[in-house]
Amino acid sequence: MTPGSDITLRDVARASGYSVSTVSRVLSASRPVGAGTARRVREAAERLGYRPNQVARALRSRSTATVGLVLPQITNPFYPTLVRELTHVLDERGRAVLLVDCDDDPDKEAARIEALLARQVDALLVVPVDEHRSRPAVAAAAARVPLVLLDRSCGPGVADLVAVDNAAGMALVLDHLAARGRRRPCYIGADGTASAAAERRAAYEAGVSALTPGEPPLLALGDFSAAWGREAVDRLWDERDRGDRRPPDAVVCGNDLIALGVIQRLRQLGVDVPGQVAVTGFDDVPPADLADPAVTTVRQPVRDIAVEAVRLLERGLDGAGAPVCDGSPQDAAPRSPGTPVARHAVRLAPHLVVRASTVPDTAPAPSGTRHGARSGPAGTPAPRSAVSPTAPLIPNSTKAAQ
Amino acid sequence: MTPGSDITLRDVARASGYSVSTVSRVLSASRPVGAGTARRVREAAERLGYRPNQVARALRSRSTATVGLVLPQITNPFYPTLVRELTHVLDERGRAVLLVDCDDDPDKEAARIEALLARQVDALLVVPVDEHRSRPAVAAAAARVPLVLLDRSCGPGVADLVAVDNAAGMALVLDHLAARGRRRPCYIGADGTASAAAERRAAYEAGVSALTPGEPPLLALGDFSAAWGREAVDRLWDERDRGDRRPPDAVVCGNDLIALGVIQRLRQLGVDVPGQVAVTGFDDVPPADLADPAVTTVRQPVRDIAVEAVRLLERGLDGAGAPVCDGSPQDAAPRSPGTPVARHAVRLAPHLVVRASTVPDTAPAPSGTRHGARSGPAGTPAPRSAVSPTAPLIPNSTKAAQ
DNA sequence: GTGAAAGCGCTAACAT
DNA sequence: ATGTTAGCGCTTTCAC
């Protein structure tokens, strides 16, 4: 009924008077082909509404042009932006994305990676659930297809990794706070085994001594949630817990969700942000600028992460099917033996986004465009300027009257 | 090298002493099979580390067990939760998800739907970009595979639709505001052609007359963004624009992002929320309870939407390959001729979530678990209770000293 | 219940 | 530059 439903190469071959292989060569541009031939084949294909069957192509060519994207929890507000960039970059290169969400469960993660491999994905992009417990499944998968880790590591030497430079980001935050005269910072972060948690905490500890020489750093470690941010504030501002210290004048948070919880609770306690306490986040997730005050934070170079990850992936795709480190020239460079080296660990530079949570009197900006957060479930193109005098304000009585 | 890499059915057949077809029947449980046979075949498969090649299976059986999920913009905070539920429901049924993001562009949408069809997806789940401009591509796709629309429609009769009952949600909001004594509400929503925008606005207009009988409803229409929420407040609180009315005592927003922008700006203007003005949202996206005050909103039954959508999809998969309305008994019921009926439009009941933006003195809750928003990029299991006295608070000086 | 054979739609050798 | 011949790994008739 619908044209194009069941037209195969054979049909196009018949209709154009050429052989199946010639038609294949024309349509997949795999080899040089006659001038007029190409035209006539394409014409026939067009006329019949031919659409190549990618499954058949995949079976024969042993390449599905599909990559698996494995996320620990898509509801984490950092990932949607990453997913967008990755799908766009991959789409441009003709690759599709099989998405799986692991519910933060390493067992589900292992099972779903297995399922992706059964579907013959060409490669995997993985944000591992857990630094330790994800390792076996990820390592096994990496032995079968090119695999790039994103955002988090899962032990040394498992696969290439692309992530933000957490240490550099934390340094940006501490420099900023120091420049604004903050002298009694504390850190509210996560305790987990995930690499980002450890890296950010270590970077804080390393950098904070410049601000408070000689004094032990004040750390509160829970998880990467707003709830933990609220709770940590309750403790730090409770004198019994704090001991004899004065309350902090800056709270450095391990991510934006913690910072949002911190700001929320500080305000409930009547603490002025940023007057009494400055607050910083990390990641620059969409809700970070919706808080009041908006959160000063470290923006991850998400686009670059996506581009770099795909580049690494395709490097693995081009080289022999063997994703294993195969002693190629650049890998043969001498290494210190004790260092268990991930094949490549690309660390991309972050960017400090200064907002009202650290800088008072930031003119209540008339708004400002933000990356993903623009349109709603039924979104439409936004008005060009948020203060455009022509946008609709409709005291309405005429239409849709009850 | 790695076992399981290139083992095929033939290998298992040889190893078990059975024929390829028998092995196939055992492993896909497609037909009754000998008792001991099954055992021995499975044993051999296990031993060799056999993993079925889903691509070959798909080519032969004409079913990829894969569905395409087409989103307008994954960065919209409403979608991650939906994606999670959908992938989980589908995964339970052995189906994988090819995800595409359309960048809110109907042309990209059309191209990507085409690409999904070329990959032989069994079915499509689509949140259309635009009520009108998405129609041709969606209708064409619906003629080729079972297709279910989610969240938004794209014209009548194109495909089944599963969405929240926007009218019911708006009624919940208005009832709540009326019960709290609000008498001068206004609506800040979206102007777009997307169905949710229109439905919510219409429901507001229909319901508000009970609150303000005889008075024309006050509507401000822009888009579904926080920026528009801020701008709309600027206008409504500007006396030149408002004319002689008193400022509203309640702002009903078309979605949560608008509400977050509204709250942010009202606070900057020194307006007390909810004291002077109550604010409501719609959707209950994760950031909605991170605002201060947290946003009273309408929670979409996301899980139910996912379950129902998949149910409809599989109904289409079981019936003949023809997704077209085929005059089956239940569809043959008499219809009023003028009504262009979408095959099924499932409307699911929403749920009002009352938070501090409409109810003052909500005890500053010690926290509270929220669906998706729990863990960060390097998240770990959260402490059981947010006020647990045993969680770590570490004035640390020993480790990682720089 | 089991095996032999055919073939899904395509690409890749190998011919010419 | 084009055609011919083999399959990719699996499911599915069709026989027995």
Side-chain angles (χ1 to χ4, degrees), chain B residues 91-334:
Chain B
D91 184 86
E92 284 165 18
R93 318 182 85 88
R95 300 190 195 279
V97 175
L98 276 171
L99 180 83
V100 305
D101 175 274
C102 298
D103 223 8
D104 249 340
D105 174 348
D107 297 331
K108 285 189 188 166
E109 181 180 55
R112 285 169 196 184
I113 286 176
E114 212 31 71
L116 289 175
L117 291 174
R119 291 185 135 80
Q120 312 293 120
V121 293
D122 290 345
L124 286 171
L125 291 164
V126 180
V127 182
V129 166
D130 184 274
E131 171 114 44
H132 305 303
R133 292 187 298 161
S134 294
R135 192 161 195 217
V138 171
R144 317 234 284 117
V145 296
L147 187 153
V148 172
L149 295 170
L150 288 167
D151 190 49
R152 306 179 186 175
S153 170
C154 69
V158 173
D160 292 342
L161 167 69
V162 181
V164 69
D165 186 336
N166 286 302
M170 199 49 79
L172 290 174
V173 166
L174 290 171
D175 285 354
H176 171 68
L177 291 174
R180 309 291 312 177
R182 307 289 171 163
R183 289 295 176 268
R184 300 189 313 280
C186 70
Y187 181 75
I188 302 180
D191 195 8
T193 51
S195 55
E199 288 169 13
R200 292 175 190 177
R201 178 170 65 82
Y204 176 83
E205 294 187 279
V208 76
S209 57
L211 273 156
T212 61
E215 233 184 286
L218 184 60
L219 306 184
L221 301 180
D223 66 8
F224 275 137
S225 72
W228 165 239
R230 288 186 286 256
E231 184 188 347
V233 167
D234 286 338
R235 300 199 192 169
L236 288 163
W237 263 258
D238 181 331
E239 288 164 16
R240 289 166 310 192
D241 280 359
R242 203 173 59 241
D244 55 352
R245 300 184 182 218
R246 293 166 61 194
D249 64 357
V251 178
V252 175
C253 301
N255 77 349
D256 289 337
L257 287 179
I258 295 177
L260 290 168
V262 164
I263 288 175
Q264 200 178 35
R265 178 60 98 237
L266 284 176
R267 296 201 14 163
Q268 287 166 351
L269 296 177
V271 177
D272 180 37
V273 177
Q276 295 173 259
V277 182
V279 177
T280 67
F282 209 113
D283 292 340
D284 196 25
V285 299
D289 76 344
L290 296 179
D292 188 37
V295 184
T296 290
T297 188
V298 176
R299 178 174 297 172
Q300 294 211 30
V302 181
R303 173 81 192 176
D304 298 340
I305 289 174
V307 168
E308 188 59 25
V310 172
R311 211 184 56 76
L312 281 176
L313 220 49
E314 295 191 332
R315 227 198 37 162
L317 254 23
D318 299 336
V324 202
C325 205
D326 50 18
S328 58
Q330 73 269 32
D331 281 322

Side-chain angles (χ1 to χ4, degrees), chain A residues 267-289:
Chain A
R267 295 201 14 163
Q268 287 166 351
L269 296 176
V271 178
D272 179 38
V273 177
Q276 295 172 260
V277 184
V279 177
T280 67
F282 210 114
D283 292 338
D284 194 25
V285 299
D289 76 343

Side-chain angles (χ1 to χ4, degrees), chain B residues 27-28 52-63:
Chain B
L27 277 83
S28 59
N53 181 325
Q54 302 290 356
V55 170
R57 182 199 289 262
L59 177 60
R60 181 63 239 233
S61 66
R62 314 184 125 326
S63 157

